[in-house]
Amino acid sequence: MAEQTTWQDGAQRDLTLNVGDRLALFTRGEGAYVWDGDGRRYLDFLGGIAVVSLGHAHPVFVEAVSRQAATLAHVSNYFATQPQLDLAAQLKRLAGTGDDGRVYFGNSGAEANEAAFKLARLHGAASRNGGVERHRILALKDAFHGRTMGTLALTGKPYMQQPFEPMVPGVEFLDSTIEALEAAIDDRVAALFVEPIKGEAGVVDLPDGYLQAARELTAKHGALLIIDEIQTGAGRTGSWFAFQHAGITPDAITVAKGIGNGFPIGALITFGAAGELFYPGTHGSTFGGNALATAVAGAVLAEIERAGLVENAAARGAQVRAAIDAIASPLVEGCRGQGLLVGVALARPVAKAVVAAAQEHGLIVNAANDSTIRLAPALTIGDVEIDEFQDLFARALATVTDALLLDDTETKKDAQ
Ligand SMILES: Cc1ncc(COP(=O)(O)O)c(C=O)c1O
């Protein structure tokens, strides 16, 4: 085995090249904080990209993993386990599916969306539509649904698709306007996929009334409305799921990330007749719905509910935005998103520099694109973490602003 000198050497030598250079090596976490290999503490305002909803090493999470691992981890889908049944019922209740909702379990967001894609195909099958096939699937430009071949085909980002063409066929991409949907939809559409806040695109909100119009138009044309709640779900936006702000009932939603607090799990939750589309043999996953993952997600959701963290996400989200406003940085144009999914719009394409400066100051945030900083901290954050965030973020912004001013001065000098 080759000798490893630094962790960077190990990463460069042994990991595949699908990810750029790792920004740090973290060794432990607690609450909203993580520590690197040198023992330096960072305030984590990314939360594993909207995953660590209870914070790191939360006692409820630790207890649930340990207890279920010591009891029963996995038995295959030939059998049921109580944690799996309990989580399905819990998700149905929180999503408000009513009695006829059904839940499919996978292990990630992409797997949940793969299941949803297959659900859409089944809905579009001629056998279900009096001999007429519904081949069209609509999705939104810039929305992100995953990186497997099916979910990549649903992802409205040509630069991500291009190296892997040809794509799974049948998906058409629309502008995120009600007019574009009205113009595109007809009776040959099997499903419309919507990301209620486009997280990966830079925390971009849908226009007001979009989800209501999407519900009306899909219902009118017999298409499924499938909402990707993978980044927005589990309380992050200040309701259990973002679609609930719009007061609509979709045909299906997909969830992952924040329901597991770091334990891999994803789920497709159907409402009404969409739950009758799968039949034995149409889909499955060896690990999906295992007792360990479902017990952990059940405990995570129960703790979010018990501790009032959905309400906390709404209140703390407003507080984080106010803190950012109070910094009054010339670099910040404003905030997008909802609850504790916040996109900080920058006046210049310097998001990577802000992320690097923040890390230098002991704060973890993310560049969702060149000019947006994404924040998705634990739903447990309070005054202490937000005050510290304000201080560290202000310092990071000042570092970058100073560097930009310096650059401008140099450019002016060179021009003279
Ligand atoms: C909205 C959305 N959908 C799907 C995915 C894919 O989830 P995963 O990375 O767990 O496969 C993500 C991940 O970032 C996401 O934000």
Side-chain angles (χ1 to χ4, degrees):
M1 207 175 79
E3 193 186 331
Q4 183 173 316
T5 45
T6 64
W7 68 263
Q8 288 94 337
D9 292 338
Q12 272 166 18
R13 191 188 55 231
D14 298 333
L15 302 179
T16 53
L17 301 172
N18 55 312
V19 174
D21 288 343
R22 268 75 177 177
L23 302 173
L25 176 87
F26 290 126
T27 51
R28 81 183 175 90
E30 193 181 320
Y33 298 92
V34 287
W35 283 260
D36 70 14
D38 299 323
R40 180 154 184 234
R41 190 183 85 150
Y42 300 79
L43 177 64
D44 180 7
F45 257 49
L46 181 58
I49 321 185
V51 166
V52 189
S53 38
L54 296 183
H56 299 282
H58 191 287
V60 166
F61 175 79
V62 173
E63 199 274 331
V65 173
S66 315
R67 181 176 30 83
Q68 194 60 41
T71 307
L72 181 71
H74 178 85
V75 289
S76 92
N77 289 318
Y78 290 121
F79 310 99
T81 65
Q82 200 57 48
Q84 179 188 67
L85 302 179
D86 290 346
L87 180 61
Q90 194 177 12
L91 285 169
K92 282 176 58 175
R93 177 173 61 80
L94 299 175
T97 65
D99 286 346
D100 50 2
R102 294 182 183 279
V103 180
Y104 166 80
F105 289 114
N107 309 285
S108 65
E111 284 186 47
N113 281 340
E114 284 287 343
F117 198 158
K118 288 177 81 172
L119 192 80
R121 286 280 205 252
L122 287 177
H123 179 65
S127 54
R128 307 232 169 217
N129 292 298
V132 182
E133 280 190 31
R134 293 169 171 268
H135 275 318
R136 301 180 67 206
I137 290 183
L138 305 181
L140 300 184
K141 288 179 188 165
D142 273 339
F144 180 78
H145 297 294
R147 291 174 182 273
T148 56
M149 287 309 293
T151 60
L152 189 59
L154 290 171
T155 289
K157 292 172 182 277
Y159 80 93
M160 281 189 185
Q161 295 186 336
Q162 189 270 327
F164 303 101
E165 285 171 348
M167 286 290 111
V168 175
V171 185
E172 298 164 46
F173 294 101
L174 309 180
D175 288 332
S176 303
T177 64
I178 296 171
E179 296 73 33
L181 181 57
E182 277 169 346
I185 200 161
D186 63 19
D187 291 352
R188 291 168 301 142
V189 173
L192 168 68
F193 280 80
V194 179
E195 192 187 355
I197 299 173
K198 291 181 204 158
E200 299 301 303
V203 192
V204 180
D205 303 289
L206 287 171
D208 282 347
Y210 188 89
L211 285 179
Q212 291 89 337
R215 176 65 290 178
E216 228 171 82
L217 288 164
T218 47
K220 182 171 156 203
H221 290 281
L224 300 181
L225 174 60
I226 301 177
I227 302 187
D228 180 338
E229 295 270 4
I230 286 160
Q231 194 153 151
T232 50
R236 177 149 301 276
T237 68
S239 64
W240 275 103
F241 303 101
F243 79 83
Q244 291 165 334
H245 293 294
I248 57 152
T249 303
D251 296 294
I253 63 171
T254 51
V255 296
K257 288 187 182 273
I259 69 168
N261 199 56
F263 205 99
I265 182 166
L268 164 72
I269 304 168
T270 62
F271 298 63
E276 307 310 311
L277 290 166
F278 280 126
Y279 51 92
T282 43
H283 201 42
S285 150
T286 295
F287 293 134
N290 70 72
L292 183 49
T294 51
V296 173
V300 169
L301 292 173
E303 177 60 14
I304 292 176
E305 197 165 20
R306 188 205 63 77
L309 297 182
V310 180
E311 298 75 24
N312 199 54
R316 301 303 182 177
Q319 204 177 334
V320 167
R321 283 156 181 262
I324 293 167
D325 284 349
I327 295 173
S329 165
L331 252 191
V332 172
E333 285 187 331
C335 290
R336 298 187 296 264
Q338 218 168 355
L340 283 175
L341 182 58
V342 179
V344 185
L346 302 177
R348 304 273 287 266
V350 290
K352 283 206 174 105
V354 173
V355 168
Q359 193 174 320
E360 279 295 307
H361 290 291
L363 170 68
I364 303 299
V365 295
N366 161 254
N369 61 31
D370 286 349
S371 52
T372 307
I373 298 296
R374 174 173 40 181
L375 311 175
L379 309 184
T380 49
I381 59 164
D383 292 344
V384 172
E385 289 86 355
I386 294 174
D387 286 351
E388 190 177 349
F389 163 77
Q390 187 180 27
D391 176 43
L392 297 175
F393 196 49
R395 286 203 246 162
L397 291 167
T399 302
V400 175
T401 312
D402 289 351
L404 285 171
L405 287 177
L406 214 65
D407 270 0
D408 285 351
T409 319
E410 295 297 323
T411 316
K412 271 185 204 140
K413 259 198 235 150
D414 289 348
Q416 275 166 6

